Amino acid sequence: MMNGKIFQSNSRRPSRVYLTCMSQVMIFPGADELAQAAAGEFARLAARAVLERGRFCVLLAGGSTPLSAYRLLAGGAFDELDWSRVQFCFGDERCVPPDHADSNFRQVQEALLASVAAEAGQVHRMPGELVPEQGAAAYESELRKLFPGQTWPRFDLVLLGLGEDGHTASLFPGSPVLEERRAWVVCAAHTSPPPPMVTRLTVTFPVINHARWILLLVSGANKAQALAQALQPEPGAGSLPVQSVAPLYGEVTWLVDRAAAAGLAG
Ligand code: 6PG
């Protein structure tokens, strides 16, 4: 799996690129270069989707890693992007009110949405303030309105992070929702670290895997072990949730920094 091309390049380009059977892994010197690349990929995919389909449907990741990319996108360097054509959805949410410091929506709102003048009809936040089962059902209905008549939604881009335990979105190790194959959105108990330990709303793997493009953003030495395990050629019994990211008709690109890549061969 780790056989592939290795590119030498300057700091604005990935230092190494491994091409695998299903994915490519781009390694950047640090978190800043990773954020630049993520913002650039977002803008590139958005322009392509708007040209081809008239809109760009993106499923945003929570957590801290994507926030720098969101801020870059908000900062004016991507003004050619027609923000009015973007539909902003969320891959997961902590079950807290939208103004809570732990709310993924709040963090994305502050980093991105407030600056790009996204209108209410473009922003589809997960209702973390509801009873979780109701919140999941309400969000699935909201997504179904965006993708009417579809068995599964086809997002133009799904952004994801990676936890030290191998989770992605709010799909945690050992959770029964890892096996969900019918619902688009579910709620999941979350009682052990990483914090915040509150029930989560999350899209399911079939939603992720029907995306046209998946970008996984991984930064920091604390992710090195999980990343190395995730990219093992043959996942064994102890496989990680993130290893279920396997797009059926799309592409997956890992954007990682050198600290996170420390455990990768090559
Ligand atoms: C969340 C997430 C989660 C996150 C990873 C990585 O709501 O916590 O969406 O899956 O992406 O835990 O988080 P960091 O980027 O903060 O390391």
Side-chain angles (χ1 to χ4, degrees), residues 1-250:
M1 186 169 177
M2 299 305 286
N3 295 334
K5 298 179 184 172
I6 298 178
F7 294 89
Q8 299 295 334
S9 56
N10 62 35
S11 65
R12 299 188 61 198
R13 304 271 314 272
S15 60
R16 287 174 288 179
V17 180
Y18 299 97
L19 297 180
T20 71
C21 53
M22 285 175 35
S23 61
Q24 57 179 335
V25 182
M26 299 190 176
I27 303 172
F28 296 88
D32 290 347
E33 291 84 359
L34 190 162
Q36 283 282 353
E41 281 298 279
F42 183 112
R44 180 182 73 80
L45 293 166
R48 188 159 101 184
V50 170
L51 194 67
E52 291 176 358
R53 289 176 292 283
R55 68 176 189 173
F56 175 58
C57 294
V58 60
L59 202 66
L60 299 166
S64 56
T65 308
L67 294 176
S68 308
Y70 296 156
R71 290 190 194 103
L72 286 173
L73 285 162
F78 297 92
D79 274 352
E80 72 281 7
L81 207 160
D82 184 352
W83 290 103
S84 71
R85 303 293 189 95
V86 182
Q87 294 291 326
F88 300 94
C89 302
F90 286 76
D92 74 323
E93 183 57 280
R94 294 86 180 263
C95 288
V96 295
D99 58 353
H100 192 283
D102 288 335
S103 163
N104 280 336
F105 167 74
R106 178 181 164 166
Q107 293 177 19
V108 175
Q109 169 76 15
E110 290 174 357
L112 175 65
L113 302 175
S115 305
V116 299
E119 296 195 4
Q122 293 174 252
V123 179
H124 309 274
R125 73 169 180 85
M126 287 182 154
E129 70 278 23
L130 298 185
V131 173
E133 289 77 8
Q134 291 173 6
Y139 200 63
E140 179 159 331
S141 299
E142 173 115 8
L143 291 186
R144 284 185 183 277
K145 285 185 208 141
L146 262 186
F147 297 94
Q150 303 299 301
T151 307
W152 295 104
R154 283 211 79 187
F155 281 94
D156 298 300
L157 171 62
V158 169
L159 283 167
L160 293 171
L162 172 68
E164 289 178 47
D165 59 358
H167 79 264
T168 194
S170 281
L171 297 156
F172 290 92
S175 169
V177 305
L178 298 177
E179 307 306 325
E180 178 61 49
R181 295 295 177 266
R182 285 163 55 96
W184 292 16
V185 184
V186 291
C187 60
H190 180 56
T191 54
S192 53
M197 288 175 283
V198 293
T199 301
R200 308 295 185 96
L201 302 180
T202 184
V203 297
T204 56
F205 276 120
V207 169
I208 292 171
N209 287 331
H210 279 78
R212 290 192 163 83
W213 209 288
I214 298 170
L215 280 183
L216 270 145
L217 311 184
V218 190
S219 173
N222 59 326
K223 304 289 177 66
Q225 196 178 348
L227 184 64
Q229 190 179 340
L231 294 174
Q232 275 173 7
E234 288 166 22
S239 62
L240 303 176
V242 73
Q243 289 174 302
S244 294
V245 174
L248 292 164
Y249 317 106

